């Protein structure tokens, strides 16, 4: 363990934040308090929106007709990427204060958000319309069919989770701007401030107000209105399975993009170098305080290397510095709140009571929970059957590849996976047989570019994938027209 002492943060953002509806700041009488998970200090307050506020945001967006040229969209997004890059320290600090993620994680997140803006700026320039000659068969004619992409007729409704307060938001907002859409965003009530900062930044770069509204509030009060509003043509949701399935049932005859939870495995085969595999396991389990949909949540290790691997994992974990999120040397801050930390502790305790061995960690101080390693874990234990959204490394030994594949596919989830082996025959079998959206060899399950397609199957997602390119596709209608020339 390597825990650091508390330091008092300097809150340097306005405590009273406001929603942005059609570019206007809207203050409410009732507020949500956003507190720094490390100390409990107040970071800011945001209004609690009513259903009438949601209706107003969708009505205003629907009435507005975006007229930005591709060049103008490109400029707004690339200016935003540049400005966010210049303000990286302040933006990272804001993420840390509202989420408890350590500065290393927050700085990385801001860098990724800049990439999303930059790729979206490039995407704004690409006209991917196709042209088909019609004389291809005996039924053909001397004509051509052409395709073009248009923004949606209605409005995008976007709902985002707490775990990447900025990056999840920008993955919906920037492709919406690139495709000339209007979007109403409801960020997580736990971390709404980064979303408001992004909305300000885009407006500063010239985005017309009605193209982006940010609504803050209690999901129990406004959640249904966000997904059933008649002007919402598409619901783009990232979050947990329970809410995702509820949205799937409610958002009838609307396009749905649902990016849900994960239970991603790291598979370590018997030819793998244990130290290299252990470094991936630790970074996959503990980065972002284990709060990534694609975090390593189960470590499946071939029984022949299980002992060497586990020893190497313990060594890496002991060096993982956790504690004060604002300390630039710390590797892991808090999790989102004390309730979440207590849940991980309860699940680990239950696994140990059921026969697993606690090798390191399972310590909690408020919302801080230490990197934790267990072995002797069985697939039916709640710790690995459910998504445990925190810094826990549960090691499960397997006998052969058949068993590893059975264990992975036995989960209700199917987001991503990671494999440590140099044997191409095994790799290709896993690529073909794992029921997941991604297989990364010698990388963590979360590895991707912000541009590349990303998303899961089974309980992990439905509809289009995310990633800038796919998001731009999902945010557009494809129109065909044919001409006699
Ligand atoms: P959550 O499902 O509790 O909340 C997500 C969002 O949904 C929040 O904005 C919340 O306010 C809103 N919400 C809650 N109830 C609602 C309702 N009835 N109607 C409409 N909206 C409602 O998830 P969370 O705890 O914020 O985030 C963690 C989860 O997100 C994990 O399961 C994680 O795996 C998942 N996640 C998935 C991806 C992915 O790309 N697949 C990425 C990040 C996180």
């Amino acid at each position: 363990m390597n825990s650091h002492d508390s330091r008092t943060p300097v809150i340097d953002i306005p405590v009273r934040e406001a929603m942005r509806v059609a570019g206007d700041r809207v203050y409410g009488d009732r507020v949500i308090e956003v507190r720094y998970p490390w100390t409990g200090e107040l970071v800011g307050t945001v209004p609690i929106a009513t259903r009438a506020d949601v209706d107003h945001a969708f009505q205003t967006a629907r009435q507005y007709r975006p007229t930005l040229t591709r060049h103008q969209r490109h400029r707004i997004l690339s200016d935003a990427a540049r400005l966010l890059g210049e303000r990286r320290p302040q933006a990272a600090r804001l993420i840390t204060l509202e989420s408890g993620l350590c500065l290393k994680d927050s700085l990385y997140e801001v860098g990724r958000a800049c990439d999303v803006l930059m790729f979206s700026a490039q995407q704004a320039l690409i006209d991917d319309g196709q042209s088909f000659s019609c004389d291809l068969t005996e039924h053909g004619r001397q004509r051509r069919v052409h395709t073009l992409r248009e923004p949606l007729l209605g409005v995008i409704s976007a709902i985002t989770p707490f775990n990447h307060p900025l990056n999840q938001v920008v993955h919906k907002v920037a492709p919406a701007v690139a495709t000339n859409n209007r979007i109403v965003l409801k960020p997580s009530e736990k971390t709404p401030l980064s979303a408001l900062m992004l909305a300000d930044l885009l407006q500063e770069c010239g985005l017309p107000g009605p193209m982006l509204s940010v609504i803050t509030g209690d999901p129990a009060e406004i959640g249904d209105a966000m997904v059933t509003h008649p002007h919402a043509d598409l619901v783009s949701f990232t979050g947990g399975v329970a809410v995702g399935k509820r949205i799937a049932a409610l958002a009838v005859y609307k396009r749905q993009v649902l990016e849900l939870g994960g239970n991603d495995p790291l598979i370590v085969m018997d030819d793998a170098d244990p130290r290299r595999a252990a470094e991936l396991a630790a970074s996959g389990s503990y980065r972002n305080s284990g709060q990534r949909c694609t975090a390593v949540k189960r470590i499946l290790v071939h029984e022949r290397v299980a002992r060497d691997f586990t020893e190497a994992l313990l060594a890496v974990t002991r060096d993982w510095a956790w504690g004060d999120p604002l300390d630039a040397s710390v590797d892991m801050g808090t999790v989102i709140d004390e309730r979440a930390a207590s849940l991980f502790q309860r699940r680990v305790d239950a696994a140990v009571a059921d026969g697993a061995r606690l090798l390191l960690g399972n310590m909690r101080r408020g919302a801080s929970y230490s990197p934790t390693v267990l072995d002797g874990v069985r697939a039916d234990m709640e710790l690995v059957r459910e998504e445990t959204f925190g810094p826990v490394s549960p090691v499960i030994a397997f006998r052969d590849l058949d068993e590893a594949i059975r264990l992975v596919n036995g989960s209700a989830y199917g987001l991503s996976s990671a494999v440590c082996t140099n044997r191409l025959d095994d790799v290709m079998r896993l690529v073909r047989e794992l029921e997941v959206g991604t297989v990364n060899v010698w990388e963590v399950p979360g590895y991707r570019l912000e541009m590349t397609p990303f998303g899961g199957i089974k309980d992990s997602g439905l509809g289009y994938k995310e990633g800038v390119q796919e998001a731009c596709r999902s945010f557009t209608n494809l129109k065909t027209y044919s001409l006699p020339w």
Side-chain angles (χ1 to χ4, degrees), residues 41 65 71 73 87 93 151 175 199 306 315 339 351 363 376 414 444:
E41 283 168 278
R65 288 275 174 276
H71 169 67
R73 285 175 260 158
R87 297 175 192 169
R93 190 178 166 79
R339 211 169 126 221
M363 280 181 290
V444 292

Side-chain angles (χ1 to χ4, degrees), residues 160-163 168 186 189 237-240 260-261 293 387 454:
T160 52
F162 73 80
N163 61 309
Q168 295 295 346
K186 193 203 81 54
E189 64 283 6
F237 171 80
T238 302
L260 310 180
C293 53
E387 178 186 40
F454 165 79

Side-chain angles (χ1 to χ4, degrees), residues 97-247:
L97 289 178
E98 70 172 341
S99 68
L101 293 172
C102 70
L103 271 183
K104 276 187 195 171
D105 286 333
S106 298
L107 284 164
Y108 179 61
E109 170 151 352
V110 179
R112 290 181 66 193
C114 291
D115 286 357
V116 176
L117 289 162
M118 186 260 296
F119 284 134
S120 298
Q122 289 169 359
Q123 203 64 27
L125 300 178
I126 295 171
D127 180 348
D128 72 349
Q130 285 182 290
S131 176
F132 299 82
S133 169
C134 293
D135 58 352
L136 303 183
T137 73
E138 59 190 291
H139 312 298
R141 306 225 179 113
Q142 286 300 324
R143 299 180 65 78
R144 294 191 78 81
V145 173
H146 303 268
T147 69
L148 64 87
R149 286 188 181 274
E150 296 178 327
L152 302 181
L153 295 177
V155 181
I156 295 170
S157 173
I159 302 177
T160 52
F162 73 80
N163 61 309
H164 286 296
L166 182 61
N167 200 39
Q168 295 295 346
V169 167
V170 78
H171 259 289
K172 300 193 190 301
V173 170
V177 174
T179 49
N180 235 355
N181 272 289
R182 295 142 294 170
I183 179 167
V184 175
L185 165 78
K186 193 203 81 54
S188 169
E189 64 283 6
K190 295 173 184 163
T191 55
L193 300 174
S194 303
L196 292 167
M197 185 249 326
L198 180 72
D200 275 353
L201 185 87
L202 284 164
Q203 227 181 322
E204 190 181 335
C205 295
L207 185 72
M211 287 180 71
L212 169 62
S213 288
V214 183
I215 295 283
T216 55
D218 178 359
E221 188 173 344
I222 56 170
D224 286 6
M226 283 294 299
V227 299
T228 59
H229 197 282
H231 291 332
D233 271 13
L234 178 151
V235 179
S236 177
F237 171 80
T238 302
V241 177
V243 180
K245 288 194 172 175
R246 181 187 160 84
I247 289 174

